Amino acid sequence: MNPFRLSVLALVATGLLAASPAVAQTWEVAGAAGGELAVAPALTGHGFLFLQAARSDTLGGTLRLTYNTDTVDMTLERLPLAERLELTVGMRGEALIAGLNLDYFQQGERLSDRGFYASYLQGHARLQRHLPAHNTVELDTQVRRWWFSDTGSTADTLQLPQETWHAQVRLAWIYWNIQLPREEWEAHRLFPRVTGFAFRVAAEMLLRGEAGAFGAEVAPGELDPRNDAGRGAATLRLWAAGGTRFGALRLAFELNGAWGTGHDDITRDRVGGLTPYVVRVPGLPWAALLSERYLVGEARLALALGDERAHELGVLVAAGVLNDPRRLGLREAGGLGGGALFADLRFGSWQIHAQGAMAAPVGWLTDRVHLSGLVGVGVRLK
């Protein structure tokens, strides 16, 4: 089926669930829409449209149907297999703009002739064993089939990636001691107001069905050295988040880190931007950097306002280091960072989130001034 038709059908089906009286008592439905815009040094940006329907007590777990811009996901979560043992299974498809491979940024500058369309279909399964004292051991597997095509602006000399299978296995240890009201995790909440503490450490292995060099021709007969990986890749990961309140003030942090080998620009992590879909660095364009070795920390200080402290105004800063920031295939590290002002406003079932950001003027950026903004509106429908 054409990926666009699949996305439209999923959106219509999820919308019907929201409107149908027959399911009004059993489904929870929420949605959000918005966009991120980089305004300097050049105008670029992307929007998002999100709709999710979730039904609990489905075979003992939760069925979650999600449409997100170019992505369709159907997942059955936390099926009880035994005491403290749960299984999650699902399928996902993403059409054309997977990983934002159509936008190729180098040193903060967008190079349209290096971008291409990317799509995939994926099956995934996750097994979780819950242990005492807030600990969980998790085994996650996924199999993904990739397709690639030109955008119309893609250079004739660019070699597209191999259309092949990727299989991945990840083993993780999770500590989770974040206690929040249930509504804080509703789908339209772009940034939950975290209090408590959690972390995850993980090791993962990835195997490609076929491997081959791809990318732009950087010299006669020579392709981008960043994208000549073999069939295997491995990564160690660290994630941590937490927060605490001091009266009307809330202080929160998030830490993301990875150390990987054998990766290319399809499997590297996306770094830069303001959305929840990337390793956030304020001021940089959405997915300005692709990296498998990085450590980035973010801190937020928010002041609660209004009845029942419904609204928050605050400031956030992020800083870190990553490998090969200039995307030249070199063994070099570079620093990065940025800051933003944000407003998180809640009016009953509605939420408005806005940020204005500036990236730190680090030396590897071609232009030193990078400004961006994010606006999102969300609503709980059922």
Side-chain angles (χ1 to χ4, degrees), residues 12-30 52-56 58 63 65 381-382:
V12 170
T14 310
L16 288 175
L17 285 172
S20 172
V23 298
Q25 301 302 316
T26 57
W27 289 87
E28 296 180 357
V29 183
Q52 185 179 94
R55 183 187 180 191
S56 58
T58 304
L63 176 62
L65 307 177
L381 299 171
K382 294 289 185 182

Side-chain angles (χ1 to χ4, degrees), residues 193 245 250 302-305 310-314 342-345:
R193 298 174 181 177
R245 290 190 178 276
R250 182 175 64 89
L303 173 65
L305 301 171
H311 312 307
E312 282 191 348
L313 301 178
F342 70 87
D344 193 71
L345 312 177

Side-chain angles (χ1 to χ4, degrees), residues 36 48 189-191 254 274-280 286 374:
E36 180 176 338
F48 58 89
R189 307 292 190 197
L190 297 179
F191 298 97
E254 184 171 333
L274 299 168
T275 72
Y277 313 119
V278 294
V279 178
R280 291 185 294 276
W286 192 342
L374 169 71

Side-chain angles (χ1 to χ4, degrees), residues 52-102:
Q52 185 179 94
R55 183 187 180 191
S56 58
D57 298 324
T58 304
L59 301 178
T62 299
L63 176 62
R64 202 174 301 275
L65 307 177
T66 305
Y67 168 85
N68 191 351
T69 315
D70 66 325
T71 305
V72 177
D73 186 285
M74 180 176 65
T75 298
L76 189 54
E77 300 177 344
R78 307 189 69 171
L79 297 169
L81 300 182
E83 185 178 1
R84 295 178 175 266
L85 184 64
E86 295 175 332
L87 174 67
T88 294
V89 294
M91 296 188 66
R92 178 182 301 162
E94 192 165 357
L96 299 182
I97 58 176
L100 286 184
N101 285 290
L102 79 166

Side-chain angles (χ1 to χ4, degrees), residues 86-133:
E86 295 175 332
L87 174 67
T88 294
V89 294
M91 296 188 66
R92 178 182 301 162
E94 192 165 357
L96 299 182
I97 58 176
L100 286 184
N101 285 290
L102 79 166
D103 278 352
Y104 188 102
F105 286 95
Q106 188 169 35
Q107 296 178 252
E109 180 183 359
R110 184 174 181 265
L111 306 177
S112 59
D113 61 343
R114 290 198 178 190
F116 53 86
Y117 289 132
S119 307
Y120 67 82
L121 288 176
Q122 171 187 303
H124 50 269
R126 181 174 67 245
L127 194 64
Q128 291 182 314
R129 173 68 176 180
H130 300 292
L131 304 173

Side-chain angles (χ1 to χ4, degrees), residues 60-353:
T62 299
L63 176 62
R64 202 174 301 275
L65 307 177
T66 305
Y67 168 85
N68 191 351
T69 315
D70 66 325
T71 305
V72 177
D73 186 285
M74 180 176 65
T75 298
L76 189 54
E77 300 177 344
R78 307 189 69 171
L79 297 169
L81 300 182
E83 185 178 1
R84 295 178 175 266
L85 184 64
E86 295 175 332
L87 174 67
T88 294
V89 294
M91 296 188 66
R92 178 182 301 162
E94 192 165 357
L96 299 182
I97 58 176
L100 286 184
N101 285 290
L102 79 166
D103 278 352
Y104 188 102
F105 286 95
Q106 188 169 35
Q107 296 178 252
E109 180 183 359
R110 184 174 181 265
L111 306 177
S112 59
D113 61 343
R114 290 198 178 190
F116 53 86
Y117 289 132
S119 307
Y120 67 82
L121 288 176
Q122 171 187 303
H124 50 269
R126 181 174 67 245
L127 194 64
Q128 291 182 314
R129 173 68 176 180
H130 300 292
L131 304 173
H134 309 289
N135 293 286
T136 296
V137 175
E138 177 181 279
L139 179 64
D140 184 277
T141 63
Q142 67 180 41
V143 178
R144 181 178 289 188
R145 176 60 161 87
W146 284 97
W147 292 269
F148 305 98
S149 61
D150 295 346
T151 65
S153 300
T154 307
D156 294 336
T157 56
L158 185 138
Q159 175 68 45
L160 292 173
Q162 296 277 345
E163 294 188 341
T164 187
W165 296 89
H166 288 183
Q168 179 178 291
V169 177
R170 179 174 64 235
L171 181 63
W173 172 37
I174 301 167
Y175 174 83
W176 189 270
N177 192 16
I178 291 178
Q179 305 295 331
L180 291 177
R182 184 173 179 271
E183 57 268 19
E184 199 65 39
W185 301 111
E186 292 174 343
H188 65 296
R189 307 292 190 197
L190 297 179
F191 298 97
R193 298 174 181 177
V194 170
T195 58
F197 176 70
F199 74 83
R200 179 179 64 234
V201 291
E204 65 185 38
M205 296 290 296
L206 180 139
L207 180 66
R208 303 174 178 89
E210 297 179 25
F214 67 90
E217 191 175 59
V218 296
E222 182 181 346
L223 297 178
D224 186 349
R226 285 171 50 92
N227 293 312
D228 193 10
R231 292 189 61 194
T235 310
L236 298 176
R237 297 191 178 278
L238 168 66
W239 171 87
T244 188
R245 290 190 178 276
F246 305 93
L249 293 175
R250 182 175 64 89
L251 179 64
F253 81 94
E254 184 171 333
L255 180 68
N256 286 278
W259 183 271
T261 184
H263 287 274
D264 56 31
D265 281 353
I266 302 303
T267 61
R268 290 185 173 105
D269 295 344
R270 274 49 187 166
V271 180
L274 299 168
T275 72
Y277 313 119
V278 294
V279 178
R280 291 185 294 276
V281 180
L284 291 179
W286 192 342
L289 295 160
L290 278 64
S291 179
E292 73 277 30
R293 296 179 185 178
Y294 60 86
L295 184 65
V296 177
E298 173 191 299
R300 292 175 179 243
L301 180 62
L303 173 65
L305 301 171
D307 295 339
E308 299 181 353
R309 298 177 177 174
H311 312 307
E312 282 191 348
L313 301 178
V315 59
L316 69 91
V317 293
V321 62
L322 82 169
N323 70 315
D324 195 18
R326 295 186 292 161
R327 298 185 76 172
L328 297 176
L330 302 177
R331 290 184 176 273
E332 64 174 6
L336 72 168
L341 300 176
F342 70 87
D344 193 71
L345 312 177
R346 299 182 178 182
F347 306 93
S349 60
W350 288 85
Q351 174 165 329
I352 301 172
H353 188 92

